């Protein structure tokens, strides 16, 4: 009997197993939402001892696969399906539809240890408590650290947070907190260390006005979420999955390089930016560079000034990058990013 | 977990069904079965290839005998093979081997039919098929060293901004290296290229049909790049061993990947002692504005930080060694490192 199981999937990766190679003559294909179809039979190349012993297969037969969807499709796919020959046997859409219909709730307390973590905090009995329970029941592998670029994902209620003596653990890690709006103040009172990490404030219907650091807005932009979009279990999974898939973006801690955004650059300006990039000055986050300083945003003009932004701050500004310069500077300031004007002289 | 047996049972082909075998697909995409109470017949062609003027066909068949029509007996050889996988999959009791490997002397215009009681498959070999075989037999000259022919190098990347600098590129008096897709645009503009540099397997896979037509036959590739599917020869092939993601190599035989082919090019440019390295089509801007000359607009995997970290470092090293480095584009971050 031919079998296929997906242990874990995200927009960049899928791992699972199939006993397809035990049966000659069949081929395994993967297709994306645009209909691009790739033969991945040869990528079933991992010996999965657990699968082989359960299915009573020879120990040396290859049953496991771990696919990098970016390599296969060269783009970020919104959904994908597996086919054996011409028959669809599994689709991410179908799997998420099953999640939407999931009614059983398994409350599971997680407190995962790691150097990079996502921590979801909710009030007992709230909508986020229900959504988190459904997600945990749906697929136990979904939040496996090893399958999420090493990001540990924890779910905990405010009462669990209150009773835990884990403040030192927060300090040692780079955390991103996803906290239900009604639970924010209680969570901060329970453990003030939370305020030292980015907090994404969640409402049942997304309210991006509450997004003070821009990370949630960036995630929403990447996934096409609208303001007031309902944060269902599927959408919460997408938010978490985006943060882990793009861990190098959202969990970047190093001071980045000054990168050109727009505007005119003179030879002197270029020399100054090279100098900043050489010394790696972390005091500067966004600079407006010209022969003179600007005292107010309305002084900015494309043909006299250039804007440079530190690359590690893209996580806070991903959704702003195609804005007009003045609008961009205003939005960066609103998100707490320091904008400095520097004059290089003539 | 899904049980596929239900779906497989739908794969019943009516008796005497005929089809023309599509050589370009190289093998049939799925097995053909006939169900007559039980699985009574199965037929599958697994591979078709031409090698040393012989056509090789490998597959399996049970429930019927294989016959070859329209080929004289002295022009082919068939070998029967025991196929335990097939026997197990279909619970075959018969002692007769299911597998076959067929060799037929090859010539243009060869037409023949593989037939059984249930199905027949027609093969027609054209002039093109035979010519393709000629390409398979060409050998590639793999070299252990590369050189520069001038002091000046222009590295051309895949950003669409290259189109704005056609005149500068055409007038460049020195070596020109093309990175990935840039080669197609350059050759289309009749600009000759010293080396094509490739460090992304996706580029090869995506352009299997275009690459054999390139005029540039000198290639520098990362050691993990497979040219197997390409069926093409190059005048010069130089493989660089990739030894890690982040760093700068001091050996021409090795390089760090840096998540961008530009990093490989800069490391080689440094070790070949160019005095001036110019670039176009390498922007390294924020990924939200990422665009390539082939029309794609996504950088699916977020590798921007790694690219910036590596390219910034190599540019700073080049400048510290008095190499003049400059990008034609104002917006290129090469100018600001």
């Amino acid at each position: 009997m031919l079998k296929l199981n997906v242990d874990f999937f995200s927009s960049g990766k899928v791992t699972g197993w199939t006993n397809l190679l035990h049966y000659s003559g069949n081929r395994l294909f993967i297709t994306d939402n645009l209909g691009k179809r790739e033969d991945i039979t040869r990528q079933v190349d991992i010996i999965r001892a657990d699968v082989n012993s359960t299915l009573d297969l020879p120990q040396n037969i290859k049953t496991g696969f771990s696919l990098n969807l970016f390599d296969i499709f060269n783009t970020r796919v919104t959904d994908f399906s597996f086919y054996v020959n011409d028959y669809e046997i599994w689709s991410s859409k179908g799997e998420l539809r099953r999640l939407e219909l999931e009614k059983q709730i398994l409350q599971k307390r997680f407190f995962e240890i790691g150097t990079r973590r996502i921590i979801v905090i909710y009030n007992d009995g709230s909508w986020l408590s229900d959504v988190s329970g459904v997600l945990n029941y749906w697929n136990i592998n979904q939040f496996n650290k090893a399958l999420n670029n090493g990001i540990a994902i924890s779910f905990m209620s405010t009462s669990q947070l209150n009773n835990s003596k884990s403040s030192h653990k927060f300090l040692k890690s780079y955390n991103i907190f996803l906290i239900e709006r009604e639970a924010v103040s209680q969570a901060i009172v329970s453990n003030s260390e939370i305020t030292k990490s980015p907090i994404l404030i969640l409402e049942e219907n997304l309210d991006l006005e509450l997004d003070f650091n821009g990370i949630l807005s960036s995630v929403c932009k990447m996934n096409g979420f609208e303001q007031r979009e309902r944060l269902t279990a599927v959408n919460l999974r997408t938010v978490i999955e985006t943060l882990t898939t793009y861990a190098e973006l959202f969990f970047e801690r190093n001071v980045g390089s000054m990168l050109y955004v727009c505007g005119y650059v003179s030879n002197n300006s270029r020399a100054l930016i090279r100098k900043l990039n050489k010394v790696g000055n972390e005091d500067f986050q966004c600079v407006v560079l010209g022969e003179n300083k600007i005292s107010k945003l309305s002084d900015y003009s494309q043909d006299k000034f250039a804007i440079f932004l530190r690359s590690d701050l893209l996580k806070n500004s991903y959704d702003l990058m195609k804005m007009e310069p003045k609008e961009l500077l205003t939005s960066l300031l609103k998100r707490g990013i320091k904008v400095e004007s520097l004059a290089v002289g003539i | 977990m899904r049980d596929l047996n239900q779906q497989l049972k739908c794969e019943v082909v009516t008796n005497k069904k005929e089809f023309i075998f599509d050589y370009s697909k190289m093998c049939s995409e799925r097995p053909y079965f006939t169900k007559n109470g039980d699985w009574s017949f199965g037929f599958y062609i697994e591979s078709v290839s031409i090698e040393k003027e012989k056509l090789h066909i490998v597959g399996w068949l049970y429930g019927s005998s294989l016959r070859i029509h329209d080929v004289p007996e002295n022009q082919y050889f068939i070998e029967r093979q025991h196929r335990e996988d097939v026997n197990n999959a279909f619970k075959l009791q018969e002692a007769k081997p299911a597998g076959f490997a067929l060799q037929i002397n090859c010539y243009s215009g060869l037409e023949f039919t593989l037939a059984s009681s249930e199905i027949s498959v027609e093969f027609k070999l054209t002039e093109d098929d035979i010519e393709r075989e000629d390409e398979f037999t060409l050998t590639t000259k793999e070299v252990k060293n590369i050189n520069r022919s001038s002091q000046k190098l222009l590295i051309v990347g895949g950003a669409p901004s290259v189109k704005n600098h056609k005149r500068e590129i055409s007038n460049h008096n020195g070596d020109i290296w093309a990175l990935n897709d840039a080669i197609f645009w350059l050759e289309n503009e009749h600009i000759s290229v010293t080396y094509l540099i490739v460090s992304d397997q996706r580029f090869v896979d995506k352009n299997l049909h275009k690459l054999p037509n390139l005029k540039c036959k000198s290639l520098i590739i990362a050691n993990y790049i497979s040219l197997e599917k390409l069926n093409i020869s190059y005048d010069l092939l130089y493989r660089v061993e990739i030894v890690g993601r982040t760093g700068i190599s001091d050996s021409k035989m090795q390089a760090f990947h840096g998540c961008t082919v530009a990093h490989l090019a800069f490391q080689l440019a440094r070790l070949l002692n160019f005095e001036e390295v110019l670039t176009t089509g390498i922007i390294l801007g924020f990924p939200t504005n990422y665009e390539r000359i082939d029309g794609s607009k996504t950088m699916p995997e977020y590798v921007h930080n790694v690219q910036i970290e590596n390219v910034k470092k190599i540019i700073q090293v080049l400048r510290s060694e008095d190499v003049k480095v400059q990008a034609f584009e104002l917006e290129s971050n090469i100018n600001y490192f």
Side-chain angles (χ1 to χ4, degrees):
Chain A
M1 187 183 293
L2 275 166
K3 291 174 180 166
L4 182 139
N5 186 64
V6 171
D7 300 325
F8 167 87
F9 69 98
S10 69
S11 53
K13 190 160 73 175
V14 53
T15 62
W17 56 264
T18 173
N19 59 353
L20 178 101
L21 297 186
H22 193 57
Y23 297 93
S24 173
N26 292 300
R27 304 208 70 80
L28 185 64
F29 296 91
I30 190 166
T31 59
D32 68 1
N33 45 303
L34 300 173
K36 190 175 176 190
R37 176 179 160 106
E38 296 291 335
D39 187 341
I40 52 162
T41 314
R42 287 175 71 173
Q43 294 190 53
V44 182
D45 58 1
I46 301 168
I47 295 175
R48 286 273 300 253
D50 55 336
V51 175
N52 292 355
S53 60
T54 308
L55 298 183
D56 209 14
L57 293 169
Q59 277 310 302
N60 60 350
I61 197 165
K62 288 169 180 171
T63 44
F65 57 84
S66 179
L67 309 172
N68 183 331
L69 298 178
F70 297 147
D71 279 350
I72 293 173
F73 296 116
N74 202 18
T75 185
R76 189 180 179 208
V77 295
T78 53
D79 52 75
F80 62 94
S81 304
F82 284 112
Y83 283 73
V84 169
N85 305 325
D86 284 344
Y87 297 97
E88 184 182 281
I89 53 165
W90 186 95
S91 76
S92 59
K93 237 182 189 174
E95 202 64 12
L96 293 176
R97 206 172 299 125
R98 195 167 69 77
L99 172 56
E100 271 170 354
L101 299 171
E102 200 66 77
K103 292 287 180 221
Q104 285 176 276
I105 291 174
L106 178 74
Q107 280 294 9
K108 190 166 182 182
R109 182 185 166 192
F110 272 93
F111 196 83
E112 291 281 346
I113 297 168
T115 52
R116 299 186 299 176
R117 297 187 302 182
I118 292 170
I119 300 161
V120 182
I121 299 175
Y122 50 81
N123 279 332
D124 283 315
S126 72
W127 66 272
L128 186 57
S129 162
D130 289 350
V131 166
S132 304
V134 166
L135 262 181
N136 282 313
Y137 180 80
W138 172 66
N139 183 348
I140 199 154
N141 290 311
Q142 191 62 44
F143 304 117
N144 183 334
K145 191 165 71 174
L147 296 167
N148 281 285
N149 283 332
I151 311 291
I153 303 158
S154 305
F155 292 82
M156 62 197 321
S157 67
T158 42
S159 56
Q160 285 167 338
L161 178 70
N162 211 15
N163 294 332
S164 73
K165 299 188 189 323
S166 53
S167 56
H168 64 288
K169 289 177 183 168
F170 287 157
L171 274 175
K172 280 181 185 168
S173 305
Y174 184 84
N175 306 304
I176 293 179
F177 288 95
L178 275 63
I179 310 180
E180 179 184 342
R181 184 180 187 175
E182 287 72 21
V184 173
S185 47
Q186 200 188 328
I188 292 172
V189 169
S190 298
N191 194 325
S192 61
E193 295 300 336
I194 287 174
T195 54
K196 292 181 179 163
S197 302
I199 298 174
L200 278 56
I201 300 173
L202 304 182
E203 284 230 77
E204 195 165 6
N205 295 303
L206 278 170
D207 184 357
L208 295 178
E209 296 294 318
L210 298 170
D211 182 39
F212 300 114
N213 51 42
I215 293 178
L216 187 58
S217 300
S218 296
V219 171
C220 290
K221 175 79 174 181
M222 290 168 110
N223 292 293
F225 288 174
E226 302 286 340
Q227 170 82 334
R228 309 305 298 167
E229 183 125 2
R230 194 155 164 259
L231 208 53
T232 59
V234 174
N235 289 345
L236 179 61
R237 176 200 166 270
T238 304
V239 170
I240 295 171
E241 185 251 306
T242 306
L243 292 172
T244 58
T245 298
Y246 300 102
E248 304 243 22
L249 170 64
F250 292 110
F251 286 85
E252 176 58 75
R253 270 195 282 191
N254 296 327
V255 174
S257 306
M258 280 291 176
L259 297 187
Y260 175 86
V261 179
C262 60
Y264 167 75
V265 187
S266 66
N267 285 341
N268 288 339
S269 300
R270 187 161 61 192
L272 179 62
I273 285 291
R274 276 187 196 169
K275 201 173 169 186
L276 284 182
N277 271 330
K278 201 167 182 179
V279 295
N281 197 329
E282 60 186 277
D283 291 341
F284 295 104
Q285 296 189 324
C286 175
V287 296
V288 177
L289 205 55
E291 286 172 4
N292 307 303
K293 282 191 177 189
I294 59 165
S295 53
K296 50 189 186 299
L297 290 180
S298 56
D299 290 345
Y300 179 84
S301 118
Q302 275 281 76
D303 48 5
K304 288 184 180 163
F305 300 95
I307 298 173
F308 286 81
L309 177 68
R310 225 170 61 195
S311 56
D312 57 307
L313 298 170
L314 185 63
K315 60 176 173 283
N316 308 93
S317 54
Y318 188 93
D319 58 318
L320 310 178
M321 294 311 294
K322 292 198 173 171
M323 282 181 170
E324 291 300 309
K326 285 177 193 170
E327 203 186 347
L328 168 70
L329 292 173
T330 310
S331 303
L332 289 173
L333 285 166
K334 278 184 189 168
R335 291 184 181 178
I337 292 172
K338 276 193 292 182
V339 177
E340 303 238 5
S341 176
L342 297 178
V344 291
I346 300 169
Chain B
M1 196 182 298
R2 297 286 183 274
D3 173 4
L4 300 183
N5 261 13
Q6 287 301 316
Q7 283 125 347
L8 272 179
K9 280 175 188 167
C10 302
E11 293 242 350
V12 176
V13 177
T14 52
N15 286 2
K16 307 291 180 193
K17 178 173 173 132
E18 294 188 359
F19 67 101
I20 304 292
F21 187 76
D22 181 0
Y23 179 77
S24 65
K25 286 183 182 166
M26 297 302 282
C27 59
S28 54
E29 285 187 349
R30 58 172 191 251
Y32 288 82
F33 300 105
T34 303
K35 190 188 174 196
N36 183 11
D38 200 347
W39 298 106
S40 60
F41 170 79
F43 180 41
Y44 187 48
I45 293 171
E46 290 170 318
S47 73
V48 180
S49 60
I50 302 175
E51 198 181 337
K52 293 178 184 165
E53 296 177 348
K54 285 191 173 17
L55 179 70
H56 298 260
I57 302 172
V58 177
W60 48 261
L61 168 76
Y62 68 84
S64 178
S65 300
L66 187 68
R67 296 186 303 276
I68 299 116
H69 296 303
D70 311 323
V71 183
E73 273 190 25
N74 60 357
Q75 292 296 307
Y76 71 85
F77 171 73
I78 187 161
E79 186 188 4
R80 297 285 179 186
Q81 297 163 339
H82 280 284
R83 289 286 297 260
E84 272 188 39
D85 54 341
V86 178
N87 293 350
N88 290 338
F90 299 98
K91 297 187 174 56
L92 301 180
Q93 303 298 326
E94 49 190 319
K96 210 164 79 177
F100 64 83
L102 177 66
Q103 264 184 40
I104 302 179
N105 288 339
C106 207
Y107 55 89
S108 176
L110 171 69
E111 286 188 26
F112 66 97
T113 307
L114 288 188
S116 69
S117 58
E118 304 287 335
I119 196 164
S120 62
V121 187
E122 286 179 24
F123 285 82
K124 289 177 187 173
L125 224 57
T126 65
E127 196 77 42
D128 283 352
D129 297 324
I130 307 293
E131 276 176 12
R132 238 186 280 173
E133 146 74 352
D134 291 341
E135 289 174 357
F136 298 161
T137 57
L138 287 174
T139 51
T140 295
K141 186 184 169 194
E142 202 157 320
V143 295
K144 297 289 176 206
N145 200 6
I146 47 167
N147 291 303
R148 59 179 167 79
S149 58
S150 73
Q151 297 288 350
K152 284 183 175 181
L153 170 66
L154 171 60
I155 304 175
V156 184
S161 58
V162 292
K163 292 177 189 169
N164 304 328
H165 299 282
K166 189 184 155 190
R167 201 174 58 185
E168 291 99 314
I169 302 170
S170 301
N171 293 340
H172 176 73
N173 183 21
D175 292 23
I176 296 182
W177 294 359
L179 310 182
N180 295 342
D181 299 280
I183 188 73
F184 301 119
W185 179 80
L186 286 165
E187 291 208 343
N188 203 34
E189 297 294 336
H190 309 292
I191 297 166
S192 75
V193 170
T194 320
Y195 292 124
L196 163 63
I197 307 185
V198 179
S199 70
D200 191 342
Q201 184 66 42
R202 288 177 290 193
F203 167 75
V204 176
D205 294 344
K206 197 177 71 178
N207 295 294
L208 286 177
H209 301 297
K210 283 163 85 178
L211 286 168
N213 302 322
L214 287 179
K215 284 182 196 155
C216 174
K217 298 283 182 194
S218 296
L219 198 66
I220 298 174
I221 60 170
N223 60 328
Y224 51 76
I225 296 288
S226 164
L227 301 176
E228 237 174 62
K229 290 192 226 162
L230 206 51
N231 296 326
I232 187 176
S233 69
Y234 283 92
D235 297 339
L236 182 154
L237 182 70
Y238 183 73
R239 286 181 196 270
V240 182
E241 185 193 0
I242 300 298
V243 289
R245 192 169 81 158
T246 296
I248 295 172
S249 170
D250 278 325
S251 158
K252 267 191 280 181
M253 300 294 287
Q254 295 180 327
F256 287 82
H257 187 276
C259 294
T260 167
V261 64
H263 188 51
L264 171 58
F266 284 125
Q267 287 171 92
L268 290 173
R270 175 177 169 247
L271 296 168
L272 287 173
N273 297 316
F274 282 99
E275 287 178 2
E276 184 174 342
V277 178
L278 300 170
T279 74
T280 181
I282 307 170
I283 305 299
L284 297 168
F286 286 102
T288 35
N289 299 325
Y290 186 77
E291 215 175 329
R292 295 173 76 155
I293 201 166
D294 70 350
S296 61
K297 290 190 174 177
T298 57
M299 180 200 284
E301 68 283 54
Y302 186 83
V303 289
H304 187 240
N305 289 343
V306 184
Q307 293 180 338
I308 294 296
E309 184 187 352
N310 280 286
V311 174
K312 183 172 101 173
K313 192 73 194 162
I314 186 71
I315 298 295
Q316 287 176 346
V317 168
L318 282 165
R319 289 198 209 286
S320 72
E321 292 170 352
D322 294 328
V323 179
K324 186 185 169 195
V325 185
Q326 194 173 342
F328 290 162
E329 295 88 347
L330 167 82
E331 70 271 27
S332 170
N333 281 297
I334 300 286
N335 288 326
Y336 308 117
F337 294 150

mmCIF file with all atom_site columns, all heavy atoms in Angstrom, chain A residues 47-58:
data_model
loop_
_atom_site.group_PDB
_atom_site.id
_atom_site.type_symbol
_atom_site.label_atom_id
_atom_site.label_alt_id
_atom_site.label_comp_id
_atom_site.label_asym_id
_atom_site.label_entity_id
_atom_site.label_seq_id
_atom_site.pdbx_PDB_ins_code
_atom_site.Cartn_x
_atom_site.Cartn_y
_atom_site.Cartn_z
_atom_site.occupancy
_atom_site.B_iso_or_equiv
_atom_site.pdbx_formal_charge
_atom_site.auth_seq_id
_atom_site.auth_comp_id
_atom_site.auth_asym_id
_atom_site.auth_atom_id
_atom_site.pdbx_PDB_model_num
ATOM 1  N N   . ILE A 1 47 ? 17.055 7.717  4.687  1.00 0.00 ? 47 ILE A N   1
ATOM 2  C CA  . ILE A 1 47 ? 16.641 6.453  5.323  1.00 0.00 ? 47 ILE A CA  1
ATOM 3  C C   . ILE A 1 47 ? 16.005 6.793  6.670  1.00 0.00 ? 47 ILE A C   1
ATOM 4  O O   . ILE A 1 47 ? 16.662 7.353  7.548  1.00 0.00 ? 47 ILE A O   1
ATOM 5  C CB  . ILE A 1 47 ? 17.846 5.502  5.496  1.00 0.00 ? 47 ILE A CB  1
ATOM 6  C CG1 . ILE A 1 47 ? 18.359 5.086  4.113  1.00 0.00 ? 47 ILE A CG1 1
ATOM 7  C CG2 . ILE A 1 47 ? 17.454 4.274  6.314  1.00 0.00 ? 47 ILE A CG2 1
ATOM 8  C CD1 . ILE A 1 47 ? 19.617 4.244  4.132  1.00 0.00 ? 47 ILE A CD1 1
ATOM 9  N N   . ARG A 1 48 ? 14.714 6.529  6.771  1.00 0.00 ? 48 ARG A N   1
ATOM 10 C CA  . ARG A 1 48 ? 13.987 6.830  8.021  1.00 0.00 ? 48 ARG A CA  1
ATOM 11 C C   . ARG A 1 48 ? 13.750 5.513  8.751  1.00 0.00 ? 48 ARG A C   1
ATOM 12 O O   . ARG A 1 48 ? 12.810 4.770  8.445  1.00 0.00 ? 48 ARG A O   1
ATOM 13 C CB  . ARG A 1 48 ? 12.647 7.501  7.692  1.00 0.00 ? 48 ARG A CB  1
ATOM 14 C CG  . ARG A 1 48 ? 12.745 8.940  7.227  1.00 0.00 ? 48 ARG A CG  1
ATOM 15 C CD  . ARG A 1 48 ? 12.743 9.918  8.384  1.00 0.00 ? 48 ARG A CD  1
ATOM 16 N NE  . ARG A 1 48 ? 11.551 9.822  9.187  1.00 0.00 ? 48 ARG A NE  1
ATOM 17 C CZ  . ARG A 1 48 ? 10.563 10.712 9.193  1.00 0.00 ? 48 ARG A CZ  1
ATOM 18 N NH1 . ARG A 1 48 ? 10.638 11.777 8.437  1.00 0.00 ? 48 ARG A NH1 1
ATOM 19 N NH2 . ARG A 1 48 ? 9.500  10.548 9.971  1.00 0.00 ? 48 ARG A NH2 1
ATOM 20 N N   . ALA A 1 49 ? 14.599 5.240  9.740  1.00 0.00 ? 49 ALA A N   1
ATOM 21 C CA  . ALA A 1 49 ? 14.502 3.972  10.468 1.00 0.00 ? 49 ALA A CA  1
ATOM 22 C C   . ALA A 1 49 ? 13.143 3.838  11.146 1.00 0.00 ? 49 ALA A C   1
ATOM 23 O O   . ALA A 1 49 ? 12.565 2.745  11.187 1.00 0.00 ? 49 ALA A O   1
ATOM 24 C CB  . ALA A 1 49 ? 15.619 3.892  11.493 1.00 0.00 ? 49 ALA A CB  1
ATOM 25 N N   . ASP A 1 50 ? 12.597 4.969  11.655 1.00 0.00 ? 50 ASP A N   1
ATOM 26 C CA  . ASP A 1 50 ? 11.297 4.911  12.342 1.00 0.00 ? 50 ASP A CA  1
ATOM 27 C C   . ASP A 1 50 ? 10.193 4.453  11.382 1.00 0.00 ? 50 ASP A C   1
ATOM 28 O O   . ASP A 1 50 ? 9.372  3.599  11.716 1.00 0.00 ? 50 ASP A O   1
ATOM 29 C CB  . ASP A 1 50 ? 10.954 6.271  12.954 1.00 0.00 ? 50 ASP A CB  1
ATOM 30 C CG  . ASP A 1 50 ? 10.987 7.410  11.924 1.00 0.00 ? 50 ASP A CG  1
ATOM 31 O OD1 . ASP A 1 50 ? 11.686 7.268  10.891 1.00 0.00 ? 50 ASP A OD1 1
ATOM 32 O OD2 . ASP A 1 50 ? 10.307 8.434  12.144 1.00 0.00 ? 50 ASP A OD2 1
ATOM 33 N N   . VAL A 1 51 ? 10.236 5.010  10.164 1.00 0.00 ? 51 VAL A N   1
ATOM 34 C CA  . VAL A 1 51 ? 9.212  4.663  9.171  1.00 0.00 ? 51 VAL A CA  1
ATOM 35 C C   . VAL A 1 51 ? 9.397  3.210  8.717  1.00 0.00 ? 51 VAL A C   1
ATOM 36 O O   . VAL A 1 51 ? 8.431  2.435  8.661  1.00 0.00 ? 51 VAL A O   1
ATOM 37 C CB  . VAL A 1 51 ? 9.299  5.615  7.951  1.00 0.00 ? 51 VAL A CB  1
ATOM 38 C CG1 . VAL A 1 51 ? 8.326  5.199  6.857  1.00 0.00 ? 51 VAL A CG1 1
ATOM 39 C CG2 . VAL A 1 51 ? 9.030  7.048  8.381  1.00 0.00 ? 51 VAL A CG2 1
ATOM 40 N N   . ASN A 1 52 ? 10.640 2.842  8.419  1.00 0.00 ? 52 ASN A N   1
ATOM 41 C CA  . ASN A 1 52 ? 10.908 1.497  7.906  1.00 0.00 ? 52 ASN A CA  1
ATOM 42 C C   . ASN A 1 52 ? 10.494 0.420  8.902  1.00 0.00 ? 52 ASN A C   1
ATOM 43 O O   . ASN A 1 52 ? 9.910  -0.594 8.513  1.00 0.00 ? 52 ASN A O   1
ATOM 44 C CB  . ASN A 1 52 ? 12.391 1.347  7.553  1.00 0.00 ? 52 ASN A CB  1
ATOM 45 C CG  . ASN A 1 52 ? 12.769 2.198  6.351  1.00 0.00 ? 52 ASN A CG  1
ATOM 46 O OD1 . ASN A 1 52 ? 11.897 2.817  5.735  1.00 0.00 ? 52 ASN A OD1 1
ATOM 47 N ND2 . ASN A 1 52 ? 14.035 2.256  6.019  1.00 0.00 ? 52 ASN A ND2 1
ATOM 48 N N   . SER A 1 53 ? 10.763 0.665  10.191 1.00 0.00 ? 53 SER A N   1
ATOM 49 C CA  . SER A 1 53 ? 10.398 -0.377 11.161 1.00 0.00 ? 53 SER A CA  1
ATOM 50 C C   . SER A 1 53 ? 8.874  -0.409 11.356 1.00 0.00 ? 53 SER A C   1
ATOM 51 O O   . SER A 1 53 ? 8.291  -1.484 11.479 1.00 0.00 ? 53 SER A O   1
ATOM 52 C CB  . SER A 1 53 ? 11.133 -0.178 12.483 1.00 0.00 ? 53 SER A CB  1
ATOM 53 O OG  . SER A 1 53 ? 10.796 1.069  13.016 1.00 0.00 ? 53 SER A OG  1
ATOM 54 N N   . THR A 1 54 ? 8.218  0.743  11.340 1.00 0.00 ? 54 THR A N   1
ATOM 55 C CA  . THR A 1 54 ? 6.760  0.757  11.513 1.00 0.00 ? 54 THR A CA  1
ATOM 56 C C   . THR A 1 54 ? 6.055  0.074  10.338 1.00 0.00 ? 54 THR A C   1
ATOM 57 O O   . THR A 1 54 ? 5.078  -0.651 10.520 1.00 0.00 ? 54 THR A O   1
ATOM 58 C CB  . THR A 1 54 ? 6.237  2.216  11.623 1.00 0.00 ? 54 THR A CB  1
ATOM 59 O OG1 . THR A 1 54 ? 6.988  2.873  12.633 1.00 0.00 ? 54 THR A OG1 1
ATOM 60 C CG2 . THR A 1 54 ? 4.755  2.259  11.974 1.00 0.00 ? 54 THR A CG2 1
ATOM 61 N N   . LEU A 1 55 ? 6.565  0.335  9.129  1.00 0.00 ? 55 LEU A N   1
ATOM 62 C CA  . LEU A 1 55 ? 5.919  -0.237 7.942  1.00 0.00 ? 55 LEU A CA  1
ATOM 63 C C   . LEU A 1 55 ? 6.489  -1.604 7.572  1.00 0.00 ? 55 LEU A C   1
ATOM 64 O O   . LEU A 1 55 ? 6.123  -2.166 6.543  1.00 0.00 ? 55 LEU A O   1
ATOM 65 C CB  . LEU A 1 55 ? 6.075  0.710  6.738  1.00 0.00 ? 55 LEU A CB  1
ATOM 66 C CG  . LEU A 1 55 ? 5.434  2.086  6.854  1.00 0.00 ? 55 LEU A CG  1
ATOM 67 C CD1 . LEU A 1 55 ? 5.616  2.854  5.561  1.00 0.00 ? 55 LEU A CD1 1
ATOM 68 C CD2 . LEU A 1 55 ? 3.952  1.984  7.176  1.00 0.00 ? 55 LEU A CD2 1
ATOM 69 N N   . ASP A 1 56 ? 7.422  -2.077 8.400  1.00 0.00 ? 56 ASP A N   1
ATOM 70 C CA  . ASP A 1 56 ? 8.021  -3.383 8.165  1.00 0.00 ? 56 ASP A CA  1
ATOM 71 C C   . ASP A 1 56 ? 8.741  -3.434 6.814  1.00 0.00 ? 56 ASP A C   1
ATOM 72 O O   . ASP A 1 56 ? 8.602  -4.390 6.039  1.00 0.00 ? 56 ASP A O   1
ATOM 73 C CB  . ASP A 1 56 ? 6.922  -4.466 8.222  1.00 0.00 ? 56 ASP A CB  1
ATOM 74 C CG  . ASP A 1 56 ? 7.505  -5.790 8.679  1.00 0.00 ? 56 ASP A CG  1
ATOM 75 O OD1 . ASP A 1 56 ? 8.637  -5.760 9.190  1.00 0.00 ? 56 ASP A OD1 1
ATOM 76 O OD2 . ASP A 1 56 ? 6.839  -6.829 8.496  1.00 0.00 ? 56 ASP A OD2 1
ATOM 77 N N   . LEU A 1 57 ? 9.483  -2.392 6.534  1.00 0.00 ? 57 LEU A N   1
ATOM 78 C CA  . LEU A 1 57 ? 10.243 -2.315 5.278  1.00 0.00 ? 57 LEU A CA  1
ATOM 79 C C   . LEU A 1 57 ? 11.703 -2.668 5.553  1.00 0.00 ? 57 LEU A C   1
ATOM 80 O O   . LEU A 1 57 ? 12.154 -2.558 6.700  1.00 0.00 ? 57 LEU A O   1
ATOM 81 C CB  . LEU A 1 57 ? 10.175 -0.886 4.712  1.00 0.00 ? 57 LEU A CB  1
ATOM 82 C CG  . LEU A 1 57 ? 8.817  -0.400 4.229  1.00 0.00 ? 57 LEU A CG  1
ATOM 83 C CD1 . LEU A 1 57 ? 8.866  1.093  3.948  1.00 0.00 ? 57 LEU A CD1 1
ATOM 84 C CD2 . LEU A 1 57 ? 8.405  -1.146 2.975  1.00 0.00 ? 57 LEU A CD2 1
ATOM 85 N N   . PRO A 1 58 ? 12.452 -3.052 4.523  1.00 0.00 ? 58 PRO A N   1
ATOM 86 C CA  . PRO A 1 58 ? 13.881 -3.278 4.733  1.00 0.00 ? 58 PRO A CA  1
ATOM 87 C C   . PRO A 1 58 ? 14.538 -2.028 5.320  1.00 0.00 ? 58 PRO A C   1
ATOM 88 O O   . PRO A 1 58 ? 14.158 -0.899 4.956  1.00 0.00 ? 58 PRO A O   1
ATOM 89 C CB  . PRO A 1 58 ? 14.411 -3.545 3.323  1.00 0.00 ? 58 PRO A CB  1
ATOM 90 C CG  . PRO A 1 58 ? 13.215 -3.946 2.530  1.00 0.00 ? 58 PRO A CG  1
ATOM 91 C CD  . PRO A 1 58 ? 12.030 -3.294 3.134  1.00 0.00 ? 58 PRO A CD  1
#
